Amino acid sequence: MRTKIVAGNWKMHKNAEETEDLLNELINKLPNDKEVQIIVAPTFINLASAVEHLEFTNIGVAAQNMHQAENGAYTGEISADMLQSVGVNTVILGHSERRAYFGETDAIISFKVDTAIKHNMSVIFCFGEELKDRQDKQHFNIVENQLRDGLFHLDKTSWENIVLAYEPVWAIGTGETASPEQAQEMHEFIRETVRKSYGNDIADNVSILYGGSVKPDNAKEIFGKPDVDGGLIGGAALKADDFAAIINAI
Ligand code: PGA
């Protein structure tokens, strides 16, 4: 069954106290009667407290990144085992900010995916074209290659752990959203690309989230499209009222 998901990527926002405050607000304001999986991704140092805080709620916790190695001399990095040791079993991988500012290539991201799968973690796999790619009409090629290089070596069973998050880079944090039609066109293409390699079962069941300037006033239209199964929300996930409104738009 294709699951509806709304995930909030908090990026490098909210210290310990602010994290707790926002979590308390979310507990009070987010709906708990909807058929939607709700996830928040605070910063690494606040993950353990977030897991504790949200224990008896319907809100799950994800990490924004992790290292591909099991452990070792990788100063400043966090491993899958470390995440799991504090109760985090979902990780966002391949976010465009990781690709652009931290040099993460498709090969590195693919390695990270393998490590996460080995640990039976769920992966929210992010990908999407830049503005220039779209202007050059290369967006379908770019997206197909990111999918192939990052994920298409996986066996069929591993796909149970994969959620796709299409995030056109030109729409992230810019206030510029893909139109609902552009989102649907790409999501349909993504699903058909998965279908060609993995068949109907996986293509019909994989959740494909849209990310990039989703706000309360555009969420309903975007989520209304048949191949859009929810969203990965940045800026608007930092305000409890906005995040609640976006979830209610599903
Ligand atoms: P945005 O970020 O909603 O602020 O555009 C989305 C994301 O980067 O996941």
Side-chain angles (χ1 to χ4, degrees):
M1 241 272 296
R2 211 188 289 175
T3 316
K4 300 267 184 206
I5 301 169
V6 178
N9 173 11
W10 291 13
K11 309 193 180 184
M12 198 172 73
H13 293 288
K14 306 287 178 192
N15 64 24
E17 197 183 328
E18 292 162 350
T19 296
E20 203 166 306
D21 289 347
L22 180 54
L23 292 175
N24 284 335
E25 261 197 279
L26 294 178
I27 291 169
N28 289 329
K29 292 184 174 170
L30 297 193
N32 52 19
D33 56 348
K34 289 194 78 90
E35 294 271 307
V36 53
Q37 195 181 334
I38 303 169
I39 297 171
V40 292
T43 57
F44 279 134
I45 58 159
N46 294 310
L47 287 175
S49 66
V51 169
E52 266 181 45
H53 221 82
L54 298 172
E55 191 178 354
F56 299 108
T57 72
N58 63 332
I59 307 169
V61 177
Q64 298 174 18
N65 178 35
M66 66 170 214
H67 196 269
Q68 59 272 29
E70 290 298 330
N71 49 52
Y74 300 105
T75 301
E77 292 292 329
I78 300 285
S79 71
D81 174 62
M82 290 167 193
L83 294 177
Q84 292 190 298
S85 72
V86 296
V88 174
N89 290 297
T90 303
V91 61
I92 298 170
L93 293 178
H95 191 279
S96 66
E97 288 150 17
R98 300 293 319 168
R99 294 175 189 259
Y101 307 141
F102 301 97
E104 290 195 13
T105 59
D106 287 324
I108 293 172
I109 296 159
S110 159
F111 196 172
K112 291 185 181 209
V113 169
D114 288 344
T115 303
I117 298 286
K118 192 169 147 217
H119 283 258
N120 200 21
M121 295 177 77
S122 297
V123 173
I124 300 175
F125 179 85
C126 303
F127 57 106
E129 82 283 359
E130 295 183 26
L131 183 59
K132 187 167 185 321
D133 302 324
R134 191 164 271 267
Q135 285 165 341
D136 294 346
K137 305 207 178 338
Q138 290 302 310
H139 44 299
F140 292 114
N141 287 341
I142 296 285
V143 159
E144 183 169 348
N145 287 337
Q146 288 173 328
L147 278 173
R148 283 194 189 290
D149 293 345
L151 294 178
F152 277 21
H153 61 288
L154 294 178
D155 60 19
K156 281 192 172 186
T157 38
S158 300
W159 275 78
E160 283 169 22
N161 293 35
I162 301 291
V163 170
L164 301 177
Y166 168 61
E167 299 202 300
V169 179
W170 48 273
I172 295 179
T174 58
E176 189 83 36
T177 328
S179 68
E181 291 69 33
Q182 283 172 320
Q184 169 57 24
E185 181 187 40
M186 185 57 91
H187 281 226
E188 190 179 349
F189 171 78
I190 292 163
R191 204 177 295 286
E192 292 319 304
T193 304
V194 173
R195 195 182 309 281
K196 275 187 220 145
S197 289
Y198 287 99
N200 290 339
D201 210 28
I202 288 172
D204 290 335
N205 284 303
V206 68
S207 298
I208 310 178
L209 314 184
Y210 171 80
S213 298
V214 177
K215 305 280 180 246
D217 60 359
N218 59 24
K220 203 169 187 70
E221 256 198 295
I222 295 170
F223 294 164
K225 293 295 177 190
D227 286 298
V228 178
D229 304 308
L232 181 55
I233 318 301
L238 297 170
K239 296 188 197 110
D241 288 320
D242 286 0
F243 197 49
I246 290 169
I247 294 165
N248 278 318
I250 277 268

